[in-house]
Amino acid sequence: MLQQVNGHSSSPDAHGRKALREELQEFLSREAPLHLLDDLTKVNPVTLETVLRCLQARYKAETFYTNAGCTLVALNPFKHVPQLYSPELMREYHAAPQPQKLKPHIFSVGEQTYRNVKSLIEPVNQSIVVSGESGAGKTWTSRCLMKFYAVVAASPTSWESHKIAERIEQRILNSNPVMEAFGNACTLRNNNSSRFGKFIQLQLNRAQQMTGAAVQTYLLEKTRVACRASSERNFHIFYQICKGASTDERLQWHLPEGAAFSWLPNSERTLEEDCFEVTREAMLHLGINALTQNNIFKVLAGLLHLGNIHFADSGDESQPCQLMDDAKCSFRTSASLLWLPEDPLLETLQIRTIRAGRQQQVFRKPCSQAECDTRRDCLAKLVYARLFDWLVSVINSSICADPNYWTTFIGLLDVYGFESFPDNSLEQLCINYANEKLQQHFVAHYLKAQQEEYAVEGLEWSFVNYQDNKICLDLIEGSPISICSLINEECRLNRPSSAAQLQTRIESALAGSPCLGHNKLSREPSFIVVHYAGPVQYHTTGLVEKNKDPVPPELTRLLQQSQDPLLKVLFPADPEEKSQEESSGQSRVPVLTVLSKFKASLEQLLQVLHGTTPHYIRCIKPNSQGQAQTFLREEVLSQLEACGLVETIHISAAGFPIRVSHQNFVERYGLLRRLHPRLSLVPHSPSDVGHTEWSARAEVPTLQPLLQDIFHSLPALTWAAATPGDPAEATPAPVHCGRTKVFMTDSMLELLELGRAQVLDQCAHCIQGGWRRHRHRKQERQRQAAVLIQAATRSWLTRKHIQRLHTAATIIKNAWQKWRIRMAFLASKELDGVEEKHLSQAPCSRSAFPLPQAQTQLLAAIIRLWPLGLVLANAAMGMGGFQRKLVVWACLQLPGSRPSGYTIPTAQEQAGVASIRALPQGSIKFHCRKSPLRYADICPEPSSYSVTGFNQILLERHRLGHV
């Protein structure tokens, strides 16, 4: 029974292991919903299957952007999502303190590059490489990034600069529809496929404001004007002028409704890109006026009519091919639109000129039907290529800023996606060659360089096997023998090229390369190159002729004879060019081939990228049909494998993307030693910052103690930044110190920047406190000084006032004393005169002349109040008029001058003494109403002791008179 069980245990055991694996996978995937994982490095485990499932879950949840370590993965939604690219969302990412904590987006990549430029971290210039297959959304991504920079990189201070910035932004954005109209086309995989590569350089000034831009193009697919696949279309601009021209413009350009053109296939399809008004308005904003636009569209209409020219086989090599009957009208129309003379145009297309011999004898040879078609196509391609280059130069002159006005730039690289069609020729070889170079740049920058640098710096690192495409690049561009060198050599031999012979040479010379293959079932001569994205079969038929890109000199001379204003600009008459052509025919100097030109421009582009900090956006196409909410796992899986995304995720998850040299690390984060004062090498004084900078410039061995001192402060910094109650956040982030650099993760960099900001905040508070203390003390000293000055001023003013009062009082006192003395003297003199008079007269008896009682009382009052009268007479204020005079008269009229002659003898007169010095000393009482007291209204008898002096004498005399 046991053996029977063991004998049948193999199948149940295999099923059990599979079930266990599925259960474990389900358990790991339940840790977090896949659509909530913003970074593919967090999937558990990191495999192609889990990455694919995560992307699919996020795509179904309409989350189209996902981080993959150092790369952003962008899934094409194949539908409009307006809220995903609104200006409000742009400002939200721009204003966020930490945009990397927001949801993954192309705006987060754009904001990171913009902040890197502002922080001036070497290298300052930034670049974003947008890659992916055709139709994955590279053009749309570049367009949205340009809109983002136009919004966030424009913050002028004045109204005039604001208007200038708006004009620059509008021109930069308007360059997109013009470039797409003349350089994009509908292909089998994409309705708006870029048929050229472009590197857009957004130029920023010192204030990080966008001041201009520059566009550099690579390898326009000009053959599309005359030749393309059956299901593909020509460039968008041809369909735009045919569908959007007005009635008058159709008459002027000879484009009637329903006209058929050989070079305008699939015109019945209507695309979003067939909007003629948008292109015209954009050209107007770029400085191309209506007249110039009319000339451009007229030339394009002439090229369409040129495509309807067909030749009939002459049957005799000595006779030129003649135009077919239905092509004569198109020929005349094309000649009139291009302003070319008909006879020279027809002769140039029918007959070719050959120079031979030392004397450069000219021979004229009629062309075959195929050669006539080739020369016609060459004429159209030449005109369109010159027109496209002229448009690029106009755009650059309109949006490019002066080199003195910008200091840094952010580059956007939008190149052709990897292409593999049933019939692949030189264009696909150049496109895939460019993608191989960019893949190598990515591998060298993020994968290979990281692992090699970890080994050099002495970090413990488990190496990851990544897909290196160096073998494939050596096959294409290697030295001394490669595919490019063999094709160029065939062009230099100046002999009729054979497709089979070229295939044989390539297979025999490069047979040892593992990336070269051969399709034995193919009927046409071809070779296979195993690219990083998959094998591609290239046909050798016509490969050498396309690489030569021959332009007959007679075609150029014919176009120089055109009277069209635009063609005169595109083909200026240059006598030096003619002499160079003649000398080149004598010396047989080889002309640069298409591959040589493309390789040189690609090397120049890579030099620019190596001088910047690159950022990568991988665009993924969920399906090849362009349907929304359709996720085909097989197609996405092939793209993930091709771009090496899984290896990128592995290295990004385990690696350290931030690498800073020891000196730069100490210079920037030396302030963190303030968080660990016991281990600091120098005392924390106000001059500590300056000492740190001086120490950072010291020798390398002296930096180790400073680095250790900074590392000792990291645990305290981690605990300070951790959320209370979350021990996971309190775990120190990994940081390693290599031989010459410090390696850390993004989280560690964020933590260091947070600690540095805290230290700078503390220093700012300390500086502010010291400044406030200094300002308070200064204000207190100023207040005390002001109080002292005010007190001294008030004291001086008070003393001056008192002195003036004392002086005035002294003057008044002296004047009063003088007046008293004078009055005393006058009174004494008058009394002395009265006494003399009384002594000289004989005394009379009072009873002989009795006076009336009223007169007696009045006289007594005058006698009693005469000093007061003197005072009133000499005072500044007092009585006025008659009363004043009366009082003065009564006071001064002594009894001797009375008309009655009555005299009142006094004791002083009897004794011979007269004096007024004795003043009344009794009190005077006034009663306003009758008192309730008894006898209160009876005046008491004056006591003889209450009145003294002269008044007493007068009263005694009065009493004697009554007696």
Side-chain angles (χ1 to χ4, degrees):
M1 180 65 68
L2 183 60
Q3 293 178 356
Q4 185 179 0
V5 172
N6 292 338
H8 297 279
S9 63
S10 59
S11 179
D13 191 22
H15 287 293
R17 285 196 301 269
K18 183 177 180 181
L20 179 62
R21 190 183 305 110
E22 293 178 354
E23 183 180 356
L24 181 61
Q25 182 68 32
E26 183 180 0
F27 168 73
L28 293 176
S29 62
R30 281 203 310 264
E31 292 184 357
L34 290 176
H35 68 279
L36 297 180
L37 294 177
D38 293 338
D39 199 327
L40 294 178
T41 59
K42 298 179 181 179
V43 297
N44 194 8
V46 181
T47 59
L48 268 177
E49 179 66 24
T50 55
V51 168
L52 194 63
R53 291 176 57 208
C54 180
L55 290 176
Q56 185 176 8
R58 292 177 65 83
Y59 188 74
K60 289 183 178 179
E62 294 192 350
T63 305
F64 306 109
Y65 295 105
T66 309
N67 289 325
C70 57
T71 307
L72 178 69
V73 178
L75 295 172
N76 193 341
F78 289 119
K79 65 177 181 180
H80 288 286
V81 190
Q83 68 275 10
L84 199 59
Y85 309 100
S86 62
E88 292 77 13
L89 190 63
M90 297 180 187
R91 297 186 183 94
E92 179 182 353
Y93 276 87
H94 180 57
Q98 297 176 348
Q100 64 272 15
K101 289 192 174 181
L102 299 178
K103 292 183 179 180
H105 204 284
I106 57 174
F107 295 159
S108 62
V109 178
E111 181 62 23
Q112 182 181 358
T113 59
Y114 185 68
R115 296 193 181 188
N116 288 352
V117 171
K118 294 182 65 175
S119 61
L120 301 179
I121 298 178
E122 292 292 340
V124 179
N125 297 326
Q126 308 288 309
S127 62
I128 301 178
V129 180
V130 184
S131 60
E133 289 190 3
S134 179
K138 301 185 301 298
T139 303
W140 174 262
T141 301
S142 301
R143 189 189 308 169
C144 292
L145 284 172
M146 291 182 66
K147 291 182 180 179
F148 174 78
Y149 288 122
V151 171
V152 304
S155 56
T157 55
S158 64
W159 175 253
E160 294 182 358
S161 59
H162 178 69
K163 299 298 290 184
I164 294 174
E166 279 188 348
R167 185 166 64 251
I168 293 173
E169 295 161 18
Q170 191 63 34
R171 287 183 177 180
I172 293 174
L173 294 178
N174 283 328
S175 65
N176 269 334
V178 176
M179 300 286 286
E180 291 179 9
F182 285 85
N184 290 20
C186 177
T187 63
L188 295 175
R189 298 185 177 183
N190 186 8
N191 290 340
N192 190 29
S193 176
S194 297
R195 307 319 302 162
F196 69 103
K198 62 178 179 289
F199 181 70
I200 305 174
Q201 190 182 67
L202 304 177
Q203 300 159 350
L204 307 175
N205 58 12
R206 296 185 183 275
Q208 286 77 47
Q209 298 175 1
M210 191 182 300
T211 59
V215 180
Q216 185 176 2
T217 59
Y218 304 94
L219 192 65
L220 174 69
E221 191 187 10
K222 57 186 178 181
T223 57
R224 181 170 289 272
V225 177
C227 181
R228 70 216 60 83
S230 58
S231 300
E232 295 185 353
R233 299 205 320 172
N234 209 326
F235 291 104
H236 293 321
I237 188 62
F238 291 106
Y239 299 90
Q240 290 180 4
I241 63 175
C242 290
K243 296 180 180 180
S246 62
T247 305
D248 296 338
E249 290 171 343
R250 289 182 181 277
L251 292 176
Q252 184 180 1
W253 302 338
H254 299 278
L255 297 175
E257 289 280 355
F261 296 98
S262 301
W263 290 351
L264 205 66
N266 303 315
S267 59
E268 68 279 357
R269 294 183 58 184
T270 301
L271 301 179
E272 180 185 356
E273 290 76 18
D274 295 342
C275 186
F276 190 39
E277 291 300 325
V278 174
T279 304
R280 300 186 72 165
E281 185 178 357
M283 295 175 70
L284 192 64
H285 281 105
L286 290 173
I288 305 175
N289 54 32
L291 182 60
T292 307
Q293 292 183 27
N294 184 67
N295 292 334
I296 293 173
F297 302 140
K298 186 170 61 174
V299 169
L300 294 177
L303 296 182
L304 287 178
H305 284 283
L306 186 66
N308 287 345
I309 298 176
H310 301 286
F311 293 90
D313 191 4
S314 63
D316 187 1
E317 294 183 358
S318 61
Q319 297 297 324
C321 298
Q322 299 299 322
L323 288 172
M324 299 182 68
D325 294 336
D326 57 350
K328 294 181 180 180
C329 180
S330 297
F331 174 78
R332 290 191 296 268
T333 304
S334 177
S336 64
L337 289 174
L338 298 176
W339 283 29
L340 293 173
E342 294 184 9
D343 293 339
L345 174 59
L346 182 59
E347 183 180 351
T348 304
L349 295 179
Q350 290 175 334
I351 301 173
R352 63 172 176 158
T353 304
I354 301 174
R355 295 178 181 269
R358 295 182 178 180
Q359 288 78 19
Q360 291 293 304
Q361 296 180 359
V362 178
F363 299 93
R364 297 166 60 85
K365 181 182 178 181
C367 298
S368 63
Q369 181 184 7
E371 290 176 343
C372 289
D373 294 340
T374 302
R375 293 171 76 87
R376 176 204 62 196
D377 297 347
C378 182
L379 178 63
K381 292 187 292 184
L382 178 61
V383 173
Y384 194 83
R386 291 282 185 97
L387 176 60
F388 185 80
D389 293 339
W390 177 80
L391 278 174
V392 173
S393 64
V394 170
I395 292 174
N396 284 331
S397 63
S398 176
I399 65 178
C400 187
D402 189 89
N404 298 325
Y405 293 151
W406 63 275
T407 56
T408 57
F409 70 85
I410 299 176
L412 297 178
L413 180 61
D414 178 14
V415 294
Y416 343 79
F418 186 84
E419 291 186 350
S420 177
F421 300 122
D423 186 9
N424 301 290
S425 187
L426 184 68
E427 294 82 9
Q428 283 69 40
L429 179 62
C430 292
I431 290 173
N432 295 337
Y433 168 50
N435 281 273
E436 288 283 353
K437 293 290 287 185
L438 292 175
Q439 178 67 16
Q440 186 192 40
H441 177 264
F442 173 75
V443 169
H445 187 269
Y446 274 108
L447 307 182
K448 183 178 179 180
Q450 277 194 3
Q451 297 194 146
E452 291 181 354
E453 191 172 16
Y454 294 160
V456 171
E457 292 290 333
L459 270 70
E460 296 182 359
W461 175 257
S462 58
F463 289 89
V464 177
N465 294 325
Y466 55 87
Q467 184 178 359
D468 193 355
N469 61 343
K470 186 177 184 302
I471 301 176
C472 182
L473 282 174
D474 290 340
L475 173 66
I476 298 175
E477 64 169 5
S479 180
I481 300 176
S482 62
I483 294 176
C484 291
S485 64
L486 292 175
I487 297 176
N488 289 333
E489 184 178 353
E490 285 290 329
C491 296
R492 287 193 296 267
L493 291 176
N494 197 15
R495 67 181 182 184
S497 177
S498 172
Q501 185 178 0
L502 178 61
Q503 175 190 357
T504 304
R505 290 196 62 187
I506 292 176
E507 291 178 352
S508 60
L510 302 171
S513 176
C515 293
L516 182 66
H518 173 63
N519 187 7
K520 298 180 180 180
L521 301 179
S522 177
R523 296 180 180 179
E524 298 181 2
S526 62
F527 61 92
I528 297 176
V529 177
V530 181
H531 293 280
Y532 74 95
V536 178
Q537 182 179 3
Y538 300 98
H539 297 279
T540 57
T541 304
L543 197 63
V544 176
E545 292 298 324
K546 289 183 178 179
N547 189 38
K548 287 181 180 180
D549 193 18
V551 178
E554 51 269 25
L555 287 181
T556 305
R557 288 193 294 266
L558 174 66
L559 292 171
Q560 289 175 351
Q561 299 175 9
S562 174
Q563 299 302 316
D564 184 77
L566 180 61
L567 291 180
K568 282 185 176 182
V569 176
L570 299 180
F571 299 93
D574 189 1
E576 295 182 0
E577 183 179 353
K578 183 177 180 181
S579 62
Q580 287 177 2
E581 289 177 0
E582 294 177 355
S583 62
S584 64
Q586 296 177 1
S587 59
R588 295 181 180 272
V589 176
V591 182
L592 287 176
T593 61
V594 173
L595 284 174
S596 300
K597 294 178 182 178
F598 183 72
K599 183 178 179 181
S601 61
L602 194 58
E603 291 294 336
Q604 183 182 3
L605 172 64
L606 290 174
Q607 286 182 359
V608 175
L609 293 180
H610 283 303
T612 63
T613 301
H615 305 265
Y616 290 89
I617 299 178
R618 297 286 190 180
C619 297
I620 302 295
K621 184 169 57 175
N623 59 83
S624 58
Q625 291 78 25
Q627 298 177 357
Q629 293 295 326
T630 302
F631 191 91
L632 299 181
R633 296 170 62 92
E634 293 77 11
E635 295 187 11
V636 176
L637 184 61
S638 64
Q639 297 176 64
L640 294 179
E641 290 177 342
C643 64
L645 195 61
V646 176
E647 290 84 359
T648 303
I649 296 171
H650 275 296
I651 295 182
S652 299
F656 306 97
I658 309 300
R659 299 175 294 277
V660 185
S661 65
H662 289 172
Q663 180 175 348
N664 294 338
F665 186 84
V666 172
E667 285 181 358
R668 186 165 184 84
Y669 302 111
L671 292 172
L672 297 179
R673 291 180 295 135
R674 290 175 174 266
L675 301 176
H676 201 70
R678 290 180 297 174
L679 295 179
S680 296
L681 299 180
V682 293
H684 296 306
S685 61
S687 61
D688 187 30
V689 177
H691 186 81
T692 301
E693 293 180 356
W694 178 86
S695 300
R697 292 176 174 83
E699 305 241 345
V700 175
T702 62
L703 296 178
Q704 293 297 331
L706 297 177
L707 290 171
Q708 295 299 327
D709 201 7
I710 296 173
F711 292 152
H712 283 308
S713 64
L714 295 182
L717 186 63
T718 305
W719 281 101
T723 305
D726 190 357
E729 294 190 7
T731 304
V735 56
H736 294 277
C737 182
R739 293 187 177 94
T740 60
K741 296 180 181 180
V742 177
F743 296 81
M744 52 188 160
T745 60
D746 290 328
S747 60
M748 189 67 224
L749 179 64
E750 180 182 344
L751 190 64
L752 289 173
E753 289 295 329
L754 178 63
R756 183 173 180 270
Q758 292 177 355
V759 174
L760 290 177
D761 189 56
Q762 294 175 2
C763 294
H765 281 296
C766 182
I767 294 173
Q768 290 175 357
W771 167 248
R772 291 192 185 99
R773 182 168 56 251
H774 166 72
R775 188 176 60 180
H776 178 72
R777 290 177 179 176
K778 183 179 180 180
Q779 291 177 353
E780 183 63 24
R781 289 195 300 268
Q782 291 177 350
R783 190 187 67 81
Q784 293 178 359
V787 171
L788 182 62
I789 294 173
Q790 290 175 359
T793 304
R794 291 192 186 99
S795 176
W796 180 79
L797 292 175
T798 304
R799 287 198 301 270
K800 296 294 291 184
H801 182 65
I802 292 175
Q803 288 177 1
R804 287 196 298 270
L805 292 179
H806 181 69
T807 303
T810 303
I811 294 173
I812 295 173
K813 180 179 179 182
N814 294 336
W816 169 252
Q817 290 178 353
K818 290 179 181 179
W819 181 83
R820 287 184 59 191
I821 293 172
R822 184 179 180 184
M823 290 298 104
F825 173 73
L826 292 175
S828 174
K829 185 176 180 181
E830 292 176 358
L831 291 179
D832 291 342
V834 171
E835 182 179 359
E836 293 177 357
K837 186 177 181 180
H838 287 179
L839 290 177
S840 62
Q841 293 179 358
C844 299
S845 177
R846 182 180 177 184
S847 58
F849 304 96
L851 296 175
Q853 184 176 0
Q855 187 176 359
T856 304
Q857 293 178 356
L858 178 60
L859 181 61
I862 291 174
I863 293 173
R864 192 176 291 129
L865 298 176
W866 74 272
L868 180 61
L870 290 176
V871 173
L872 294 176
N874 292 275
M877 300 293 295
M879 297 182 184
F882 178 75
Q883 294 181 353
R884 185 184 185 93
K885 294 180 180 180
L886 180 62
V887 173
V888 172
W889 181 83
C891 292
L892 297 179
Q893 294 297 326
L894 296 176
S897 62
R898 296 186 182 99
S900 60
Y902 176 76
T903 60
I904 301 176
T906 59
Q908 286 84 348
E909 293 179 355
Q910 293 180 359
V913 178
S915 175
I916 62 171
R917 294 181 178 87
L919 300 177
Q921 297 182 4
S923 61
I924 300 174
K925 296 181 180 180
F926 297 93
H927 298 281
C928 297
R929 60 183 179 177
K930 187 176 182 180
S931 175
L933 299 178
R934 193 177 182 183
Y935 304 110
D937 54 345
I938 300 176
C939 181
E941 281 294 329
S943 175
S944 58
Y945 302 100
S946 61
V947 181
T948 58
F950 181 69
N951 294 333
Q952 183 179 1
I953 297 173
L954 295 177
L955 292 175
E956 289 177 356
R957 291 289 182 92
H958 183 66
R959 292 194 193 96
L960 290 175
H962 284 286
V963 175

